[in-house]
Structure formats: C-alpha cells, structure tokens
C-alpha cells in the first residue's frame, strides 16, 4: 500500500528548546561542526488503494489542519511515492 | 549554511499509539482512505562550513547514537543538500 510522507517543522522564528538541548549535547561531545539543530515531526500515511487527485487534496488539507499547528509549525514537505 | 535532514521512525513492529490516535481522528472526519498513520521525528542539523566525509561519518554516528533510540526506532533517511 502506498505511503505518503508529511514533514512538519517548527516555524523558523520560534525558539526550539528541544533542538537547543540536542545541539548542546553535540557540543559537549565535541561535535562542534554543527551550529544548530531543529526538531520536527514526520508522518507516514498509508493509503488504501490508489493515490488519486482527491487523495492528494485531502492530504494537503489534513497536513495543514490536523498534522500541523499553523500558528507554530510549517508543513515543509509532502512526498508521494514514485508511480510504480 | 548547509542543512542535513535526519529522519527517524518507530520500528515497524512497535505499536504507535500517537499514530493510531491520528488515524482514528481522520476516520471520524470521514477521511477513510487512510489505513494507517505512523509518527516519527525529523531533525535538521545546520553545519558550519563544508560537509566533508568526516562530517558525514559524524552525522551517521550521531543519528544512530543520539538522535534515535536503536531499541525502538530506525533511522530511515539522512538527506544531504545537493552540492551547489
């Protein structure tokens, strides 16, 4: 069954405390080549049957309204499986 | 500054309660074309300077040891920016 990937990140201008914590851990481990870390979410939606235009429209609506909070997050990518 | 994306998902055989909750919400909203939802994490690591082989090796190690818990998660993708 085809799987669609929706990727959501916190808005760039927002503080990302979790990301800062990971960046701090990397620096303490001597991995100083990284200047920043940001953490978001990755959704895999498995579709029953074909990915039609209607499904694509639904996914975009769901991504904006359910999978992300448009006040603090951006949908940065929606990836459809290559047509087999 | 170049950004490397690391994507981590819960292992397929594990229960994903958050994913189940979202799938349930989609069904209640009448979006019945989706048979499953799984939720993972997406990390953006900003690199100071060039992405050398040493940086790539570091990212792979960090992805396995810090950004994911190998007992319950898999690193499903590490994406480097196209060389400009």
């Amino acid at each position: 069954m085809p799987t669609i990937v929706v990727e959501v990140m916190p808005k760039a201008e927002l503080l990302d405390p979790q990301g800062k914590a990971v960046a701090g851990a990397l620096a303490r481990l001597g991995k100083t080549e990284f200047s920043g870390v940001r953490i978001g979410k990755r959704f895999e939606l498995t579709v029953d049957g074909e990915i039609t235009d209607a499904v694509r429209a639904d996914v975009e609506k769901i991504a904006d309204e359910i999978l992300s909070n448009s006040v603090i997050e951006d949908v940065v990518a929606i990836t459809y499986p290559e047509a087999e």
Side-chain angles (χ1 to χ4, degrees), chain A:
Chain A
M1 284 189 286
T3 300
I4 301 167
V5 177
V6 175
E7 297 173 63
V8 172
M9 290 300 286
K11 283 191 186 293
E13 63 273 18
L14 285 185
L15 260 182
D16 180 356
Q18 282 190 322
K20 285 237 175 319
V22 172
L26 295 183
R28 281 192 302 278
L29 290 168
K31 311 291 179 196
T32 52
E33 65 265 40
F34 302 103
S35 57
V37 176
R38 293 175 62 238
I39 305 177
K41 288 174 277 189
R42 181 180 190 270
F43 298 87
E44 285 185 359
L45 282 73
T46 314
V47 181
D48 259 338
E50 291 290 308
I51 296 183
T52 61
D53 287 343
V55 168
R56 284 170 182 261
D58 257 358
V59 168
E60 272 157 36
K61 200 163 181 289
I62 285 164
D64 283 338
E65 293 173 8
I66 296 173
L67 304 183
S68 67
N69 173 345
S70 54
V71 173
I72 57 169
E73 292 171 326
D74 290 320
V75 177
V76 295
I78 300 179
T79 313
Y80 297 93
E82 265 106 44
E84 270 106 29

